[in-house]
């Protein structure tokens, strides 16, 4: 079972995946492509936070 911090990271990933999938299903490619790029940028920038969230010593910092 995941802890609250790991669940938060998993929920973030699920929401980002849903954003990309639904944008490609609902919009033309020219509109969905920038959404995909924004999600990719979010994945890169959120990595440090997610790593911190699931680390065992985050409460020590």
């Amino acid at each position: 079972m995941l802890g609250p911090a790991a669940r938060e990271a998993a929920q973030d990933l699920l929401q980002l995946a849903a954003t990309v999938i639904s944008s490609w299903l609902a919009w033309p490619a020219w509109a969905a492509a920038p959404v995909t790029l924004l999600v990719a940028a979010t994945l890169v920038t959120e990595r440090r936070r997610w790593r911190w969230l699931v680390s065992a010593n985050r409460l020590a910092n």
Side-chain angles (χ1 to χ4, degrees):
M1 190 156 147
L2 296 174
R7 279 194 303 253
E8 181 179 343
Q11 181 179 357
D12 288 347
L13 288 171
L14 181 63
Q15 288 175 342
L16 291 170
T19 300
V20 170
I21 292 168
S22 61
S23 69
W24 281 99
L25 292 175
W27 297 335
W30 62 266
V35 173
T36 304
L37 290 174
L38 284 172
V39 167
T42 301
L43 290 172
V44 170
T45 59
E46 288 286 320
R47 269 186 8 208
R48 283 180 57 194
R49 181 169 98 41
W50 291 331
R51 199 175 307 136
W52 174 78
L53 277 172
V54 297
S55 70
N57 64 352
R58 89 179 149 89
L59 297 177
N61 293 334

